[in-house]
Amino acid sequence: CSPCPMRMTPNDVPCQDLLENFKGTDYIPAFVHAINARIASFKVREAYIKSLDADALNVEVRWPVSVSDKQDVGFKKVYNGETAIELVMPCDWPQSAAKLTLETNNKALDAMVQEFNASSVAEGSITAAVHHLDGKLNM
């Protein structure tokens, strides 16, 4: 019996990294749990983003181009016409270990970026994160 390639359904959820992590192991329960968790979080994240009122938050949703690997989604916002920030939602959000991260090219905001990324705000929603940043950056 020759090995057949593994096919994942739904095929719009990136799981290649999980397949690679478990390649050569025989711990199937952990693999099944990881796949189920990825599918659930990916679908919850997708539904959350589609229902998010991005216009009200004044953010641009930057969807991944493909699902070939783990795909993070970015939420870009510009403050005062010049300060651009991006909140990055990881592929596994809203699982407990998955946190939002704040990124910017503005070196003057490095301390704020570090504070945000270490804070409990990073464990919440895009809406809460944007409101938090609005309070800090809309001066």
Side-chain angles (χ1 to χ4, degrees), residues 43-91:
K43 293 301 182 179
V44 166
R45 181 182 78 153
E46 183 178 66
Y48 172 79
I49 294 168
K50 285 181 179 176
S51 69
L52 180 73
D53 191 351
D55 291 338
L57 294 173
N58 198 26
V59 296
E60 172 193 351
V61 180
R62 297 159 52 96
W63 288 95
V65 176
S66 71
V67 294
S68 59
D69 288 317
K70 289 175 59 173
Q71 298 294 317
D72 300 338
V73 176
F75 300 84
K76 185 177 180 183
K77 184 164 184 171
V78 177
Y79 291 91
N80 302 321
E82 60 186 53
T83 303
I85 60 99
E86 186 161 28
L87 288 163
V88 179
M89 180 182 280
C91 179

Side-chain angles (χ1 to χ4, degrees), residues 6-65:
M6 185 174 282
R7 293 190 187 117
M8 300 299 299
T9 302
N11 62 1
D12 63 339
V13 177
C15 292
Q16 190 60 39
D17 62 313
L18 297 175
L19 293 170
E20 291 299 319
N21 289 343
F22 284 93
K23 189 176 185 178
T25 69
D26 60 356
Y27 197 59
I28 302 304
F31 176 65
V32 171
H33 176 75
I35 293 292
N36 286 339
R38 172 66 58 81
I39 292 169
S41 63
F42 197 82
K43 293 301 182 179
V44 166
R45 181 182 78 153
E46 183 178 66
Y48 172 79
I49 294 168
K50 285 181 179 176
S51 69
L52 180 73
D53 191 351
D55 291 338
L57 294 173
N58 198 26
V59 296
E60 172 193 351
V61 180
R62 297 159 52 96
W63 288 95
V65 176

Side-chain angles (χ1 to χ4, degrees), residues 106-127:
N106 186 335
K107 294 293 182 196
L109 298 177
D110 282 352
M112 187 190 74
V113 168
Q114 290 176 5
E115 174 204 339
F116 177 90
N117 290 340
S119 75
S120 62
V121 178
E123 297 171 2
S125 69
I126 290 295
T127 301

